[in-house]
Amino acid sequence: MATFLLEIGTEELPADFARQALPQLRALVEADLERLRLPFTAVRSSGTPRRLALTIEGLAARQEDLTSERKGPPAQQAFRDGQPTEAALGFARRCGVEAERLEVRETPKGPFVFARLLERGQATAELLPGLIPTWLWSLQGRRFMRWGAGESRFSRPVRWLVVLLDAEVLPVELPDCDPPLRSDRFSRGHRLLNEAVEIADAGVYAATLAAHDVQVERGIRAAWIREHLEVAAAEAGGALDLPEALFDELVDLVESPQLIEGAIEPRFLALPPEVLSTVMRAHQRYVPLRRPEAPADPLALEASATLLPRFLCVANGRPEAAATIRRGNERVLRARLADAEFFLRADQAVASIDRRDALDRVTFAEGLGSLRDRSGRIEWLTEVLVEALAPEGAIGQAAKRAAHLCKHDLVSQMVGEFPELQGVMGAKYLLAEGEERAVALAVLEHYLPRGAGDALPGSDAGALVALAERLELLLSIFATGERPSGSSDPYALRRAGNGLLQILWERGWRLDLLALLERACGHWAELLPDLKIGSQALAADLQAFLRARILSLLEEQGIDPDLAQAVAGESVPMERVLVHPLGVQQRAALLGDWRQNRNDAFQKVQEVVQRAARLADQATEADWKAMERIRQNPDDPSLYQKASEQELLAAVRSLSGAMTSNWSSGKIELLRTSETALYPSLDADDLLSIASSLSGLTQPLSNFFDGDQSVMVMCEDPLVRASRLGMLMEIKKFASLLADFTKVQNRKISA
């Protein structure tokens, strides 16, 4: 068994490329090894900013032999008087075996001739060289490039190639590179040393590079960086302000990490903490140090109460240059923070309300006017939301004021230089001008959530403006005819739709999105006449879009796809999905819990309700007319002759009565007239009552369908058939308050 090494040496790679490329490379290699019948123990990959490396351990020296069989002509045609005929000889030639080695075997169609073929395995050293160029050029990533006169494309120019099978160099050529490359055993050490490093054997690859100041194992680099950062933070009396994305980037930016500690001039601690953190983390890849005891105040105006006047940096230089690196980092940070200080003073010289007026000079999107026009549309939507949700106290006024001012900082100098701070700086400027804290906080929070996994608005006013902002984006961009398709979503409309629903679900707000969209689409048609908006078509497109986002979010939350379809799929009327989106989530959660924790009961309800629904759907026009006659005399005993019918009738009639203890009389009346109208009124307790009542129907339905007193629903007597179908329709109608059970699949949950 051998060890194989492939090292692709490059110029400095983007920090995230190795994390994207190495899993691809590993998958390609494992698939080819399996296809070629080359056993191996493990495939390991790692990389640094200048190399992608892959090692195959326990690799067989050659392919496994492949034995196969081929069926030939019938035995009576292949042999005559014990001698092979031309048919047998021709078959043997095609198979590459001697005629004497042919075998005769019995088959269901009689005796036939068979040939056993043996394909000898090739040596591993002969097979791998031809695969390596394919592996390399199959890797995918963003912003690939060509270099020199070559035709090859890669993330960065490929400069060397190490290919070893144990100590043997396997010959591989890359003629399309500039200059053309040929594999050898020479890697490269630390970038600043610029020395060739001979790899004597594939098994000592990592150790050899480590001796030349290159830690090729990413896991070891990550552990070293994490440990040294935590120790340095503890010694400084602070806590790391280190998002996981920044940590990953630090690991992939260095191949010989060293820790540098720098100082921040005290005067810069008068800047807002987010300014310092953004400059250090996003622009310089430094790690700020937080004061452990500092309160978490999103509206803090100065960093002095939040951050220590120090930062940590993971460098890739030589240890003897540590002092020089520290001075250089401090100088760069000083310049960046001095710029931020200037921007802050310049912005504070202009009132926020005047910046709002300046939004008129910035175009939002073609056909949609300026950012000030957009701000006005957000204000209108906020007022509609306040009217619909009726928040308590001064929340509505704070939300309206925040909506009026929420975009003013987009024309500030600070946000122009640091776009990550939009909303944050707007809130800080308003608070410094004496605006109410609730208003400033809502301005900050209306951008939340910024992406998947991000925090949601923490205040009601912030949530209201965040809803309005996302609704405005969806309405306006959809009005221009733009739609997200495939991986193309330039306006992040899917993210906006997700955020809209997540906020409603998290706040527990009952909002009639259907009515809101219809009203807003009509208003948009008046506001933007040049777009020639068809308000009904626009509303229908947005409704379908939001239904798709609900289904996607439910599955992300762990709801089984069939249950998601049962509560929000195409078979569910749009009213039941968007009149009360919170109810959709509640119904999906109830079904998921029911299936997971009381699976037997769930399966029984599912089976009988599905059976009832299938039969109810077979009702004809004649059956409907017969049901009208039955309603005139619903207690006719001739219609319910068997005990199972009488039992089911009693159970169906008790459905509404069973809810009386939990439902208001208004809900009972709605149930009698229109289950669609009832939907917005249902709460979590109502849903539990429905589930309990459905469970109570399983035995009467089982007796009705399969017991000793079972009946044939589709019988000859039109009135009896109509009475039986009518009961099943009532059950289907009642079950639909919870879900479309016809979309639920049989799925046994093991204990």
Side-chain angles (χ1 to χ4, degrees), residues 272-593:
E274 293 85 356
V275 173
L276 272 71
S277 295
T278 298
V279 169
M280 286 190 278
R281 290 195 317 237
H283 294 263
Q284 301 305 130
R285 310 302 188 268
Y286 301 160
V287 181
L289 294 177
R290 292 182 288 102
R291 297 182 184 276
E293 73 284 357
D297 183 5
L299 295 178
L301 296 177
E302 294 190 359
S304 55
T306 306
L307 298 177
L308 293 174
R310 297 166 127 179
F311 67 89
L312 301 176
C313 169
V314 179
N316 197 40
R318 303 289 299 150
E320 56 269 23
T324 303
I325 296 171
R326 180 177 62 253
R327 288 194 300 272
N329 286 332
E330 289 176 344
R331 185 171 63 250
V332 171
L333 182 60
R334 187 183 310 119
R336 296 287 285 176
L337 293 180
D339 288 344
E341 194 176 46
F342 171 80
F343 298 142
L344 183 67
R345 286 199 299 267
D347 288 341
Q348 288 176 334
V350 180
S352 297
I353 195 67
D354 294 333
R355 268 194 299 274
R356 184 185 183 279
D357 293 337
L359 292 173
D360 206 28
R361 300 194 295 269
V362 183
T363 300
F364 170 45
E366 185 177 357
L368 296 175
S370 66
L371 284 177
R372 183 171 177 181
D373 294 327
R374 186 186 187 214
S375 183
R377 295 193 292 267
I378 293 173
E379 279 189 77
W380 183 86
L381 282 166
T382 302
E383 291 178 0
V384 171
L385 287 167
V386 169
E387 176 187 329
L389 294 170
E392 297 179 355
I395 294 172
Q397 290 303 316
K400 293 176 185 177
R401 179 65 175 168
H404 184 69
L405 295 165
C406 66
K407 298 299 181 184
H408 78 89
D409 63 340
L410 293 181
V411 290
S412 68
Q413 294 197 40
M414 185 74 82
V415 171
E417 182 68 16
F418 305 112
E420 305 94 331
L421 295 176
Q422 57 185 323
V424 174
M425 295 313 302
K428 310 269 184 179
Y429 291 152
L430 289 171
L431 194 64
E433 292 172 9
E435 198 69 54
E436 290 184 12
R437 183 179 176 87
V439 173
L441 187 59
V443 169
L444 185 151
E445 291 181 336
H446 91 280
Y447 283 102
L448 301 178
R450 297 178 186 268
D454 194 16
L456 297 172
S459 68
D460 285 345
L464 285 166
V465 185
L467 289 175
E469 200 265 355
R470 282 150 183 79
L471 281 166
E472 192 283 332
L473 181 67
L474 293 172
L475 284 158
S476 296
I477 301 303
F478 266 67
T480 66
E482 291 277 352
R483 302 289 186 275
S485 60
S487 61
S488 176
D489 188 7
Y491 292 97
L493 299 179
R494 294 190 186 98
R495 186 172 67 195
N498 289 350
L500 170 69
L501 295 163
Q502 287 169 333
I503 291 169
L504 287 175
W505 290 351
E506 191 269 342
R507 308 302 297 181
W509 283 343
R510 295 163 136 350
L511 177 65
D512 186 345
L513 263 181
L514 202 62
L516 190 152
L517 286 175
E518 290 175 358
R519 178 178 175 184
C521 288
H523 185 65
W524 252 241
E526 295 174 2
L527 285 178
L528 305 168
D530 292 344
L531 293 180
K532 296 180 173 55
I533 298 170
S535 60
Q536 291 184 346
L538 176 60
D541 283 354
L542 285 166
Q543 291 164 15
F545 172 79
L546 288 173
R547 183 202 291 270
R549 300 327 307 152
I550 288 174
L551 290 170
S552 176
L553 284 174
L554 289 176
E555 292 187 30
E556 286 180 15
Q557 294 177 357
I559 300 297
D560 292 333
D562 62 319
L563 299 186
Q565 290 292 329
V567 298
E570 293 292 335
S571 65
V572 181
M574 193 65 76
E575 293 85 353
R576 299 184 180 179
V577 179
L578 294 185
V579 168
H580 182 19
L582 176 64
V584 176
Q585 186 198 39
Q586 291 174 333
R587 298 197 303 277
L590 186 150
L591 291 175
D593 177 74

Side-chain angles (χ1 to χ4, degrees), residues 152-369:
S152 298
R153 294 179 69 256
F154 204 62
S155 180
R156 292 296 182 269
V158 180
R159 295 307 189 198
W160 74 89
L161 195 66
V162 177
V163 185
L164 293 178
L165 188 63
D166 286 338
E168 177 188 0
V169 176
L170 301 187
V172 178
E173 293 187 0
L174 301 177
D176 289 337
C177 289
D178 185 11
L181 291 180
R182 184 187 296 269
S183 61
D184 57 27
R185 63 172 70 252
F186 290 96
S187 181
R188 305 292 185 273
H190 192 285
R191 174 171 52 85
L192 297 179
L193 297 177
N194 195 28
E195 59 181 346
V197 178
E198 183 177 6
I199 310 298
D201 187 280
V204 297
Y205 168 67
T208 303
L209 284 181
H212 290 79
D213 294 327
V214 174
Q215 181 48 259
V216 72
E217 295 290 347
R218 188 181 188 278
I220 297 176
R221 285 202 314 276
W224 188 98
I225 292 171
R226 177 79 71 182
E227 178 185 356
H228 283 71
L229 285 174
E230 290 176 350
V231 169
E235 290 177 350
L240 298 173
D241 186 1
L242 182 60
E244 201 60 32
L246 176 58
F247 176 75
D248 285 338
E249 192 171 4
L250 293 177
V251 174
D252 291 320
L253 282 172
V254 298
E255 55 186 15
S256 179
Q258 63 169 307
L259 189 64
I260 304 293
E261 183 176 341
I264 304 171
E265 288 189 14
R267 82 173 211 252
F268 294 126
L269 294 180
L271 292 169
E274 293 85 356
V275 173
L276 272 71
S277 295
T278 298
V279 169
M280 286 190 278
R281 290 195 317 237
H283 294 263
Q284 301 305 130
R285 310 302 188 268
Y286 301 160
V287 181
L289 294 177
R290 292 182 288 102
R291 297 182 184 276
E293 73 284 357
D297 183 5
L299 295 178
L301 296 177
E302 294 190 359
S304 55
T306 306
L307 298 177
L308 293 174
R310 297 166 127 179
F311 67 89
L312 301 176
C313 169
V314 179
N316 197 40
R318 303 289 299 150
E320 56 269 23
T324 303
I325 296 171
R326 180 177 62 253
R327 288 194 300 272
N329 286 332
E330 289 176 344
R331 185 171 63 250
V332 171
L333 182 60
R334 187 183 310 119
R336 296 287 285 176
L337 293 180
D339 288 344
E341 194 176 46
F342 171 80
F343 298 142
L344 183 67
R345 286 199 299 267
D347 288 341
Q348 288 176 334
V350 180
S352 297
I353 195 67
D354 294 333
R355 268 194 299 274
R356 184 185 183 279
D357 293 337
L359 292 173
D360 206 28
R361 300 194 295 269
V362 183
T363 300
F364 170 45
E366 185 177 357
L368 296 175

Side-chain angles (χ1 to χ4, degrees), residues 612-631 713-726 728-729 732:
R614 283 195 299 270
L615 287 166
D617 290 341
Q618 295 179 29
T620 64
E621 185 65 29
D623 293 326
W624 283 99
K625 290 180 179 178
M627 284 182 227
E628 289 295 327
R629 292 172 57 192
I630 293 172
R631 287 193 181 95
V713 175
M714 309 302 286
C715 64
E716 294 293 330
D717 188 317
L719 287 179
V720 173
R721 181 174 66 248
S723 71
R724 293 169 181 173
L725 286 172
L728 298 181
M729 286 178 182
K732 178 187 174 183

